[in-house]
């Protein structure tokens, strides 16, 4: 920790303050205001934005493995959303 640069401390501060405090506060605000079935799919956007910003800002390469993982994640969210919609429509 003694040899950590100011960038490392800034990243830690960003993670602790913005990612944790601000993001969780906003998420709990949304949960209080909207049904959880509407809010929960938004959580899948976090990894998508993470990949996007790593590619655009940090210069990481977009590989087939990353694309496949993203497709699998979105497919899972689609299945859950479709199932919840069916449950709401039929009442069972």
């Amino acid at each position: 920790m003694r040899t950590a640069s100011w960038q490392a401390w800034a990243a830690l501060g960003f993670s602790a303050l913005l990612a944790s405090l601000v993001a969780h506060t906003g998420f709990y605000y949304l949960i209080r205001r909207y049904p959880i079935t509407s809010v929960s799919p938004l959580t899948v956007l976090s990894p998508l934005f993470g990949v996007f910003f790593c590619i655009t800002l940090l210069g990481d390469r977009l590989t087939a493995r990353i694309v496949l993982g993203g497709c699998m994640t979105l497919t899972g969210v689609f299945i859950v959303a479709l199932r919840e919609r069916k449950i709401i429509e039929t009442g069972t």
Side-chain angles (χ1 to χ4, degrees):
M1 289 178 60
R2 291 181 191 168
T3 61
S5 66
W6 70 269
Q7 291 100 339
W9 286 107
L12 178 65
F14 175 81
S15 295
L17 295 177
L18 292 178
S20 293
L21 185 63
V22 174
H24 284 95
T25 302
F27 187 72
Y28 289 122
Y29 170 79
L30 290 174
I31 288 175
R32 205 174 6 168
R33 191 160 179 157
Y34 301 102
I36 190 67
T37 55
S38 298
V39 176
S40 62
L42 295 175
T43 59
V44 80
L45 293 177
S46 178
L48 292 178
F49 278 124
V51 169
F52 173 76
F53 286 122
C54 281
I55 291 169
T56 57
L57 299 178
L58 301 177
D60 286 353
R61 292 184 311 131
L62 182 63
T63 63
R65 186 175 181 178
I66 293 174
V67 172
L68 179 64
C71 290
M72 289 172 62
T73 302
L74 291 176
T75 301
V77 171
F78 176 73
I79 290 169
V80 169
L82 194 63
R83 183 172 180 250
E84 288 174 354
R85 175 186 273 180
K86 184 178 178 183
I87 290 171
I88 290 171
E89 289 174 356
T90 61
T92 57

